[in-house]
Structure formats: structure tokens, C-alpha cells
Amino acid sequence: MFKNKSYIGISFIILIFGIYAIPKIIDRVQGNAVVKSDRLDKDSGAGIAAESLVDIGKAPSFEFTNQDNKKINNEFYEGKVYVLEFFFTTCPSICPKMNLSMLQIEKTFFGNPNFGIVSVTIDPKTDTPEVLKAHAKLLGVKSSNWNFLTGDKTAIFDLANKGFNLYAAANNKVSGGFEHSGLFALIDKKGHIRCRNDEFGNPILYYDGLDKKGVKDIQEDIKLLLKE
């Protein structure tokens, strides 16, 4: 008698569990979510789409001369995802670190014709096309879509400060004579500046080229934009 009551109790518990759990299991199967646990989604970034990236607006237009003495403008990158930075070859502070970060990004996407890099010098008097070509060779740049650009100083500073709102300025009081941001701009195939939100839900605008997380984040987001 006691055993029978125990079996009845256990059967009742199983029945209640089935009524509660089976519909949820069916929903997960239909949603193709059974193979992805919530923990794995968070760890791997699964389910994140390019649509989740914020559209800051149209990137400013530019036209300068590259390391091969060719005119390069923003239309060269139409249909491509690209990263843009401001730097100068004789920079004694943050530029070497930015160079290493860009080289890491180049290596990740090397061979992809839909990806490119733009490095604009803020010291055009020193950084002639010949100097930029030597600098690219010294770095070991391989991508034909990585352009080192020089040109009119006023136009370059306007592009940095008024166009992208990425600080750059001449300053004789600092080592190297110039100061600038260590941030990277990410531009999509339609020529729009894109970025992710921070942990508070606010757009980060640009990616920190001096920080491992910033470099990791921009690479993840480049992959998303290449799929668009």
C-alpha cells in the first residue's frame, strides 16, 4: 500500500513537470536554440547581428595622396568595410602601439577584398608619399587596401576635428610636436560610421586602438559588417 502511494506521488510529479517543461522544450526546438545554451551565447557572441551596431551617420568625404603617390578618396572604399586612424610616422608615444593594433587587424582580414585600412598622417610636411611608403615597408604592410595618406594640412585637421571629431593638433610643447587620439573609426560598406554600445547602452562612437579589448571588439564588429 505504501509503495503504491509512492509510485502515484512520483507519477504525479512527473506529470506536472511534463506539463510545464515540454511546451518550453518544443519552443526551443522550433527556435533552433537547443544546441545553444544561454551561457554559450554570452561567451561566443552568438546571435549578435550587424543590425545591433549603431549607425552614427555618413562618414566625411576625403581625398588625399597615398604612399604610391596616387589620389585616394572615400569612394575607393565604397562597398568595403574599413578602419580609419590619424597618426604620424615620427610619433614617439602612442603611434607604435596603434601600428601594432592595425597590423593585428590587417592580419585577421588579410586577403579579404572587402576590407581596408586608412591611416592619415597629421604631419604632412614630414610624411611625404615616399616617407609613408618606407614606413609601410618597415611595418611589413601587405594589404593593397591599406592606404597611408598625406595632403593639405588644413584639410587633414578639418577631417579629424570637424569631420570625425577625432582630436588632432600641433603642439610644440609635447614630444613629437603633435598630439592626437588613439581611437579607430569603423566605416561600413555604405560609408557610414558604425559602433557598438557600451555596457550602459550608450554608443562608444570609436574603438580604442591602444587597448586589447578595443582591438578585439572592432575585429568582432568588422566581421559583422562584412556579412551585411
Side-chain angles (χ1 to χ4, degrees):
M1 175 74 86
F2 177 76
K3 289 184 178 180
N4 289 339
K5 289 182 179 180
S6 297
Y7 292 146
I8 292 171
I10 293 170
S11 299
F12 179 74
I13 291 171
I14 293 172
L15 177 62
I16 294 300
F17 174 79
I19 293 173
Y20 173 78
I22 288 175
K24 293 183 178 294
I25 294 172
I26 291 173
D27 287 344
R28 286 177 64 84
V29 171
Q30 291 176 340
N32 196 31
V34 169
V35 295
K36 302 177 186 175
S37 72
D38 292 337
R39 182 181 62 82
L40 286 175
D41 283 349
K42 291 174 182 176
D43 288 346
S44 65
I48 298 175
E51 290 78 9
S52 66
L53 299 180
V54 181
D55 188 333
I56 303 301
K58 192 77 173 176
S61 301
F62 60 85
E63 182 176 89
F64 298 113
T65 303
N66 77 353
Q67 68 269 31
D68 295 316
N69 218 21
K70 295 179 180 179
K71 291 291 185 182
I72 297 292
N73 57 31
N74 50 291
E75 292 180 1
F76 176 87
Y77 289 94
E78 187 174 342
K80 297 180 177 66
V81 177
Y82 67 100
V83 179
L84 181 143
E85 66 169 347
F86 293 92
F87 86 114
F88 61 109
T89 61
T90 57
C91 173
S93 54
I94 65 174
C95 291
K97 175 62 176 175
M98 294 170 69
N99 289 161
L100 290 175
S101 296
M102 278 298 191
L103 286 169
Q104 182 180 335
I105 294 170
E106 181 206 31
K107 183 178 179 181
T108 300
F109 299 98
F110 181 72
N112 190 323
N114 297 318
F115 175 73
I117 298 173
V118 177
S119 296
V120 185
T121 179
I122 59 172
D123 183 12
K125 184 178 180 180
T126 300
D127 292 338
T128 62
E130 293 74 22
V131 170
L132 291 175
K133 190 174 184 69
H135 184 71
K137 184 177 181 180
L138 180 65
L139 292 177
V141 171
K142 298 178 180 178
S143 174
S144 59
N145 285 337
W146 187 345
N147 285 289
F148 292 81
L149 302 181
T150 188
D152 179 74
K153 184 176 180 179
T154 300
I156 289 172
F157 278 91
D158 282 348
L159 180 69
N161 295 308
K162 298 178 182 179
F164 281 97
N165 290 315
L166 284 171
Y167 177 70
N171 186 345
N172 293 327
K173 295 180 180 180
V174 300
S175 180
F178 294 89
E179 52 189 1
H180 62 97
S181 153
L183 300 176
F184 294 164
L186 176 60
I187 297 94
D188 67 18
K189 294 177 182 177
K190 296 180 180 179
H192 285 229
I193 301 171
R194 302 286 289 274
C195 73
R196 61 172 56 192
N197 287 321
D198 63 18
E199 63 269 30
F200 304 106
N202 301 312
I204 64 170
L205 300 182
Y206 300 113
Y207 298 77
D208 190 347
L210 303 173
D211 177 71
K212 287 184 179 180
K213 184 180 184 305
V215 177
K216 176 177 177 291
D217 288 347
I218 198 170
Q219 289 183 89
E220 290 177 354
D221 294 347
I222 289 168
K223 290 176 184 178
L224 295 178
L225 293 179
L226 285 170
K227 294 177 182 179
E228 280 192 325

